[in-house]
Each structure stands twice: as structure tokens, then as C-alpha cells.
Amino acid sequence: MAGLWLACRRPRGSSASWTRPCGPRDNSFSAVRGRAPGQIPASFRSRKGVGERFETLRHELRKGLGLLTGLVVLSTPAFISAQVKSSTAQSPDRAALSEKIVRYLRERFGVPETVKLTVGAFKNSFDPNLFDVTVTVDDGKEKKEQKLLISKDGRHLIVGEVYSLSSDPTDAAMRAISTRDQPAQGPPEAPVTIVEYADLECPMCARLHEFLESDLLGKYANKVRIVFKEFPLVAIHDWAQRAAVASQCAYQINPGAFVAYRSLVFRNQSSINATNSRDMLLNLAAQVGIDSLKLTVCLDSQASRPRVEEDIREGKQIGVVSTPTCFVNGRMIVGMPGPETFYRAVEEALHARQ
């Protein structure tokens, strides 16, 4: 298994193949785990934007604990089931509990006072002993939301997703994924739908896109449809968000040129950086016939950002934490484990439809 977890970015001059999805580094969780409240690694503190740091830590938590996060909610380590001391077993005052949550999050995640943390309404959750709470993180530039579970006695705060063991994850994913008015390639009536969550700055996403377009679609002709979703990893990729917005703008302006544009962006990854990304994205769009003026207006106004945010929300809901992540008729495949894995998944999906 160790060979599957190489660094996300290709070292300069390296010709090594890519087998690892883009996401937080493997050593991040071990570097953070076990530190006292308020202590976080210097590399983590130096990331741009507190919202991004909060998002990165959340990814580290989920990556380090995998799907167990939220399943053993009251017996997990301190980071996931963090005890918030209370002087009474009775349900505490909501305002006081909100202040306690904010104070704890600031100490644990190193969030400065300049960043506003707002605790939303306490709602009943799937468990009668827990509240669903959403905390909004606002650094003045953008807002991010983090869902928490709070024990009703005010003693525990739980970070992570909760997965139901009473439903089939494949069926749940198919129900949660929207395929209407989405950029896609292949016939709508195809018996197999592959939904790809990708980051346009992710090297493995570029490899997977080439494989899906050149090999898999050619092999299965009209039997497969691919639906493209945006999942920019803004905590580790500095132009991914802009590219995701440009991609969705391109779809809205000229749906027929979407796949060609996406392919061109992937092929030119090495030439794009945070400084030139706007100009590069516009120039590449012009090469495939997308109206430059319309794309400029859409990109600069971020008119398509709600579509990107909806893709991210949807992906997180069904367990996406790294890119690329695909769902073959609801079956999750993370990264690019090899062509045979995709062929087998398609064959099984076709067999199930017979």
C-alpha cells in the first residue's frame, strides 16, 4: 500500500507515474495529532487564509481517521470527540454553550480573534443525545461552514461526517448526486454513469481525464456517460478555484466546447500558475471557440461560483475528500488505481442493469 501514496505534486524533472489522488499530505495528520490546544505545526499556520487552514485541518482529520469518523462518535480521539467540560449534566444555556464552542475551536485550531466564528442554531440530530450545529468561519474574504455534533449535556464536540449503516452507500450516492444540467460527455440514456469530482490543478485528475476520454469512452462507446463535477482543493492548490469557476462559466456559455476546454486546461497544467491563471484560462478558452468577452465577465464576477460550491457540497456529502474521486453508478473509486479497476466497475454496472 505504501507505493500508492506518493506526493501529490510531481517533482521537477521527474517522470514517475502517478497513483495517488490529490489531497492533504499523509504526514499532516501525524504532525497535528496529539498536540496541546493552540499548538499547530508552523507549516499549517503559514497557509494562506484562516478559512483554508480550517478546511485543511478538517481534511486531515477525515483522512487520518477515514470512514470511522462519526461512526464511533463518543469514543474517538480528542480531535474528533473533544470533551468540553461542563459543571452540570443538565442541558447548558445555549448562548453560554455557543461561547464555549467558539473558545474551544479558537484554542484547538489556532483561529485568531480577527476571524469571526459564528455558531448557528442548535438542531436535533439523528441521535436524541446530540445537536446538529453549523459553525461559520469568516476571515473577511470568504465564509466557510463546518458542521459539528454537540452532545446535549455540553460535554462533547464532534467533528466529522456521520454515515448511516442502515443504507447501501452506492444507492445513497446515486440519490445524492445531481446529473441534471451538468456538463457531461456521452449519451444521457447510457446504462452506466461515471461522475467525476476533479480539481483542474491536480496532476492525477489530468491523467484520469485523458484515460476516461481516450480509452474508456472508446472501449464502451454509447454505454457510458461521464458527468463532470468541480472539487477544487483550495487549501493546497492556488489556482484551482479560479479554474473551477472558469470551467463552469465555459459550460454555461458554450456547453459544446466544455470537454475540449477542460481537456486543454489539464494538458496545460504545467504552464499555469497563480499569477498567470486568469490570462491562461481565457486564452485556452478562445482556442476552443468560447466567447472571450463573455468568459471574462463571468470569470471576473464569479457568476458560476454557486455551481462550483454546490458541486463541493454534494461531494462532501457523499464522502469526497480528495481528487480525483469517481462514482460508477454510485460505486466510489478514489484516485486512479489502474484501468482494470474502472473496466471491472463498468462491467459490473452493466451486468447489474441486465
Side-chain angles (χ1 to χ4, degrees):
M1 290 296 290
L4 293 180
W5 297 99
L6 304 174
C8 179
R9 293 181 184 273
R10 183 195 303 271
R12 291 184 179 180
S14 170
S15 59
S17 62
W18 285 94
T19 53
R20 183 202 176 219
C22 286
R25 302 296 190 269
D26 283 31
N27 60 358
S28 299
F29 180 75
S30 59
V32 176
R33 181 175 53 201
R35 292 176 180 266
Q39 282 189 291
I40 51 178
S43 61
F44 185 70
R45 291 195 299 269
S46 65
R47 293 186 184 275
K48 295 181 180 180
V50 173
E52 293 183 6
R53 297 203 302 270
F54 197 82
E55 180 77 2
T56 300
L57 182 55
R58 189 169 65 83
H59 280 306
E60 289 169 349
L61 289 172
R62 294 184 61 189
K63 181 174 176 297
L65 296 180
L67 292 180
L68 292 179
T69 299
L71 292 179
V72 263
V73 289
L74 292 181
S75 59
T76 47
F79 251 38
I80 297 301
S81 181
Q83 185 167 347
V84 182
K85 294 182 179 180
S86 175
S87 60
T88 175
Q90 301 297 320
S91 180
D93 175 77
R94 301 288 175 84
L97 182 55
S98 294
E99 292 178 5
K100 186 179 294 185
I101 292 169
V102 169
R103 185 167 59 252
Y104 185 88
L105 292 177
R106 288 195 188 282
E107 293 176 358
R108 173 60 74 177
F109 297 150
V111 181
E113 294 293 336
T114 53
V115 175
K116 185 178 180 181
L117 298 179
T118 304
V119 178
F122 289 76
K123 301 178 181 179
N124 290 327
S125 73
F126 69 96
D127 187 292
N129 297 310
L130 300 172
F131 286 123
D132 272 329
V133 177
T134 299
V135 175
T136 302
V137 184
D138 184 359
D139 64 0
K141 296 180 180 178
E142 61 178 332
K143 295 182 180 180
K144 291 184 177 292
E145 292 185 347
Q146 170 66 56
K147 291 186 177 181
L148 308 174
L149 290 171
I150 306 294
S151 62
K152 290 188 176 180
D153 63 2
R155 291 177 57 84
H156 294 88
L157 175 155
I158 303 163
V159 180
E161 301 292 337
V162 176
Y163 297 89
S164 173
L165 296 179
S166 61
S167 62
D168 183 285
T170 299
D171 291 341
M174 292 181 69
R175 288 194 301 270
I177 295 172
S178 172
T179 58
R180 294 184 59 187
D181 187 26
Q182 300 294 324
Q185 187 174 10
E189 66 277 6
V192 178
T193 297
I194 299 176
V195 181
E196 178 204 45
Y197 293 84
D199 175 321
L200 286 163
E201 194 176 343
C202 164
M204 176 168 292
C205 296
R207 283 191 58 212
L208 178 62
H209 181 81
E210 182 180 3
F211 162 73
L212 293 176
E213 188 176 17
S214 302
D215 296 346
L216 190 137
L217 285 177
K219 180 179 177 66
Y220 290 101
N222 294 327
K223 296 179 180 179
V224 171
R225 179 190 187 210
I226 300 174
V227 177
F228 303 97
K229 300 278 187 172
E230 312 295 343
F231 202 84
L233 301 174
V234 297
I236 60 172
H237 289 158
D238 49 18
W239 55 267
Q241 176 72 19
R242 175 175 283 169
V245 171
S247 177
Q248 288 300 310
C249 283
Y251 170 69
Q252 292 179 301
I253 295 168
N254 187 347
F258 173 85
V259 174
Y261 179 54
R262 196 174 185 84
S263 300
L264 199 57
V265 173
F266 276 134
R267 288 200 297 271
N268 285 273
Q269 274 182 344
S270 61
S271 301
I272 305 174
N273 55 52
T275 302
N276 71 9
S277 60
R278 179 181 179 276
D279 290 341
M280 284 290 295
L281 291 168
L282 292 174
N283 290 337
L284 294 174
Q287 293 180 34
V288 296
I290 296 172
D291 188 292
S292 296
L293 180 58
K294 290 182 179 179
L295 183 59
T296 299
V297 173
C298 183
L299 180 58
D300 289 349
S301 66
Q302 298 197 58
S304 67
R305 182 164 180 168
R307 292 180 60 89
V308 175
E309 292 176 343
E310 177 57 25
D311 283 355
I312 296 172
R313 183 206 63 77
E314 179 185 273
K316 290 177 180 178
Q317 180 184 347
I318 55 178
V320 177
V321 295
S322 62
T323 59
T325 296
C326 291
F327 291 83
V328 182
N329 277 14
R331 174 187 170 185
M332 178 188 281
I333 299 178
V334 179
M336 189 174 175
E340 291 305 320
T341 298
F342 281 90
Y343 295 152
R344 185 167 57 252
V346 171
E347 292 291 347
E348 290 175 356
L350 288 171
H351 179 74
R353 294 293 299 270
Q354 292 178 354

